[in-house]
Amino acid sequence: MSRVFMKGTEAVAEAAVRAGCRFFAGYPITPQNEVPEYLSRRLPEVGGVFVQGESEVASVNMVYGAAAAGTRSMTSSSSPGIALKSEGVSYCASARIPMVYCNFARGGPGVGSIQPAQQDYLQATKASGNGGFRMPVLAPATVQEAVDMTYRAFDWADRDRTPVLILADGVIGTMMEPVVLPEMKSDEEVAAIKESKKKWACIGHPLDYAHRSWIEPGQWSTQKMQKCNEDAAALYRSWEKEAEAEEYQTEDAEIILTAYGISGRIAKSAVNLLRAEGIKAGLIRPKTVYPFPNYAYDKLDYGKVKAILDVEMSIPALFVEDVDMAVKGRCPIETCLCSGGNIMSRDAVIAAAKKIMEG
Amino acid sequence: MEKIYTRTKTIQEDKVSGFCPGCMHSTVIKLVGEALEELNLVDKAVCVQGIGCCGLHMDYIAYDDITAAHGRACAVATGIKRTNPGSLVFTYQGDGDFASIGLAESVSAANRGENFTVIFVNNGIYGMTGGQLSPTTLVGMKATTAPKGRDPKEHGYPMHMCEILNELKAPYYLERTSCNNPANVMKTKNAIKKAFQYQMEGKGFSMVEVITSCPTNWGLDPLKALDFIEEKMLPEYPLGCFRDRSKEEG
Ligand SMILES: Cc1ncc(C[n+]2csc(CCOP(=O)(O)OP(=O)(O)O)c2C)c(N)n1
Ligand code: SF4
Ligand SMILES: [Mg+2]
């Protein structure tokens, strides 16, 4: 496996192709235009299909169709476009159709700003559409992680027949970094994945009342609908054990910085500089923001930890709500925030940490 | 005695239709099933259901079915057909679904010349939700959200989807039919068969618009609803073939 130097958006697109994604539909929006651009030339090379949808709404519904017909499928967008995808994502969740989508998040609300932000946290983790469904939400902090998470997302989506969201941001998308790309699935492997879905895929079946494919994103029967939601809830509970966080220098820490995605990476760098100055700082960086890695906060020695510093590129703070639920009042939580497309300043994080430790 | 007519196998025998008495959705879906059987395409068939009273048949048809979000059937069909070109994919949509909330998806799929078929069931009203104004409601026709009837000053005029799509270059076959008498029922079935055949030949986008009744929300008994089609709907929505590129190909 070779190391290459790639932009985040294109690396994610290539990772999807290597994972066996053979259908992509999307609509242009900054800062992720390279995803559709890259895939418009790459997918035909591997016998895949690219469609520029007439909107995000159409694109996600094309993905719903392609995925319901058995093909590994993906769409991507950025914040305002992700809002429009909520209809199709909810349909996929309800009908249990596996699909992957990616948010290279930008400033908001409204049309917001085209620069990176983390304002979509609650939408991503709590309510990406109507109906109270959940789905795995993976939050990369490097281009390498974005690649690995995208590759894994397709397996997770297929295993549990669920949508999976990659919650990235404009920094991850536009930054170039060296990455090791995952192995390319062979045509035979891709065909075998599609074949394995043939039983339920909506592609036509012999006239046999028992075995037709019936993709149902809802139910006329209230009993059946309740049963679907009970089954889904059991699935969501089973994900708890798959929660993952990076725990860095937490063992002897007196102050814990916590952040996800690009803010997590900046916070980690701040931890190193604080340590160099003799301040015992540590980091918890959730890699899955749903399921949320509560365990990482439970493991802390609250006899030692003076405070937790929540670092996010969002005003108001949103990620802090999950941190708060994980910490359960065991120590104070402070915030270090920026918004509007401004990138978190490491100096600001260090200053905020020092203020807590001095105060 | 020779058996000359039998129920289509594409409708499950032990299931009960959810349609109101006299509803023409049941006629159209029967014709779709007969067309599939006669063309030997049942095992390749995928119905992309719109949201509306058309959803009342998904339980009793015997071929593959997927429910699209309201208006998105043409997008869903695009995803299925592009990744499974061997399947026979058709959308089944009402006028609210196809011509209002799904207008962008409908026109865009037609403009891309997507190789699937639209069965557009135009009853001039929102049946499922109880009789609200639709883009195809006739001028003067009452709806629960237009209690004084459609007023062009406020609501504009009925939309003619065959004519609108006929402005585009890509569609291969566009025909408007009805089911208000036996001759028109036969014409509808032939049009559906033609559309399916063109699709299997890879010709591109095809649509059959069927002018149908909704006795319940028109406030008419089923027979009077047939008269209403003849006297009011068909003058506004003339039947006929708007586009058949095979004729141009000679
Ligand atoms: C997003 C969304 N908006 C509204 C509805 C409610 N709704 C269900 S069917 C329908 C209209 C159906 O009318 P039409 O497409 O003409 O079909 P018909 O019932 O007349 O056959 C509406 C508005 C919905 N299900 N989803
Ligand atoms: S409401 Fe109208 S369209 Fe719906 S089933 Fe009844 S008659 Fe048919
Ligand atoms: Mg209608």
Side-chain angles (χ1 to χ4, degrees), chain A residues 23 49 54 57-58 61-62 64-66 68-69 71 87 91 194 202-205 207 209 212-215 217 220, chain B residues 9 11 43 45-46 55 58-59 61-67 69 72 75-76 79-80 82-84 87 104-105 108 112:
Chain A
F23 183 84
V49 178
E54 56 272 27
V57 177
N61 282 293
M62 289 175 190
Y64 168 54
T71 298
E87 175 187 84
Y91 269 65
K194 190 164 179 176
C202 212
I203 49 174
H205 283 85
L207 182 60
Y209 298 166
R212 75 167 172 134
S213 158
W214 188 9
I215 307 289
W220 289 115
Chain B
K9 291 194 199 69
I11 290 174
D43 60 351
V46 173
M58 61 191 172
D59 188 33
I61 55 176
Y63 41 86
D64 285 10
D65 182 88
I66 176 170
T67 301
R72 314 297 174 226
V76 175
I80 298 174
R82 290 277 196 118
T83 51
N84 295 277
S87 298
E105 284 77 8
S108 302
R112 287 192 304 267

Side-chain angles (χ1 to χ4, degrees), chain A residues 87 91, chain B residues 25 51-54 69-70 72 93-98 101 121 123-129 132 134 136 214:
Chain A
E87 175 187 84
Y91 269 65
Chain B
H25 271 301
I51 299 263
C53 285
C54 55
H70 194 24
R72 314 297 174 226
Q93 305 176 256
D95 37 297
D97 198 88
F98 185 74
I101 190 168
V121 182
N123 57 14
I125 201 94
Y126 282 28
M128 162 99 348
T129 40
Q132 297 82 8
S134 133
T136 60
C214 172

Side-chain angles (χ1 to χ4, degrees), chain A residues 38-276:
Chain A
Y38 184 89
L39 289 172
S40 71
R41 47 178 200 272
R42 184 72 173 106
L43 276 172
E45 287 174 5
V46 294
V49 178
F50 166 85
V51 181
Q52 177 166 331
E54 56 272 27
S55 67
E56 287 86 353
V57 177
S59 302
V60 72
N61 282 293
M62 289 175 190
V63 165
Y64 168 54
T71 298
R72 283 195 162 180
S73 305
M74 181 171 96
T75 183
S76 81
S77 191
S78 181
S79 309
I82 290 292
L84 291 182
K85 304 240 182 242
S86 62
E87 175 187 84
V89 174
S90 177
Y91 269 65
C92 287
S94 186
R96 299 291 299 274
I97 299 303
M99 62 87 103
V100 175
Y101 73 120
C102 191
N103 182 0
F104 293 94
R106 62 188 235 181
V111 72
S113 47
I114 59 169
Q115 295 85 357
Q118 296 184 310
Q119 301 272 155
D120 296 343
Y121 185 80
L122 293 184
Q123 182 206 40
T125 57
K126 314 288 178 206
S128 295
N130 67 297
F133 64 90
R134 317 306 303 250
M135 65 184 159
V137 183
L138 313 178
T142 63
V143 174
Q144 183 68 58
E145 241 179 28
V147 160
D148 297 341
M149 285 176 174
T150 303
Y151 200 76
R152 175 181 175 215
F154 282 94
D155 287 335
W156 196 336
D158 275 356
R159 189 194 70 193
D160 293 336
R161 294 186 59 179
T162 176
V164 178
L165 171 62
I166 310 291
L167 178 59
D169 57 67
V171 181
I172 302 291
T174 53
M175 169 167 67
M176 286 186 87
E177 284 195 289
V179 279
V180 177
L181 291 169
E183 210 181 307
M184 178 81 183
K185 286 207 192 302
S186 68
D187 289 349
E188 292 72 30
E189 285 172 295
V190 174
I193 292 170
K194 190 164 179 176
E195 186 67 26
S196 72
K197 302 177 185 177
K198 233 180 172 165
K199 238 180 160 171
W200 56 261
C202 212
I203 49 174
H205 283 85
L207 182 60
D208 164 355
Y209 298 166
H211 296 114
R212 75 167 172 134
S213 158
W214 188 9
I215 307 289
E216 301 172 278
Q219 301 291 338
W220 289 115
S221 147
T222 54
Q223 278 88 355
K224 268 201 197 167
M225 193 70 236
Q226 175 162 331
K227 177 75 171 59
C228 288
N229 286 341
E230 284 166 356
D231 291 348
L235 176 66
Y236 306 154
R237 279 194 298 278
S238 78
W239 290 340
E240 276 164 30
K241 59 183 185 301
E242 298 192 61
E244 242 182 80
E246 177 184 5
E247 297 154 275
Y248 181 67
Q249 309 244 18
T250 51
E251 264 158 44
D252 63 340
E254 292 171 5
I255 178 163
I256 292 288
L257 277 51
T258 193
Y260 73 96
I262 193 63
S263 294
R265 184 159 169 186
I266 294 160
K268 186 173 181 179
S269 163
V271 166
N272 288 336
L273 291 173
L274 286 163
R275 286 260 168 187

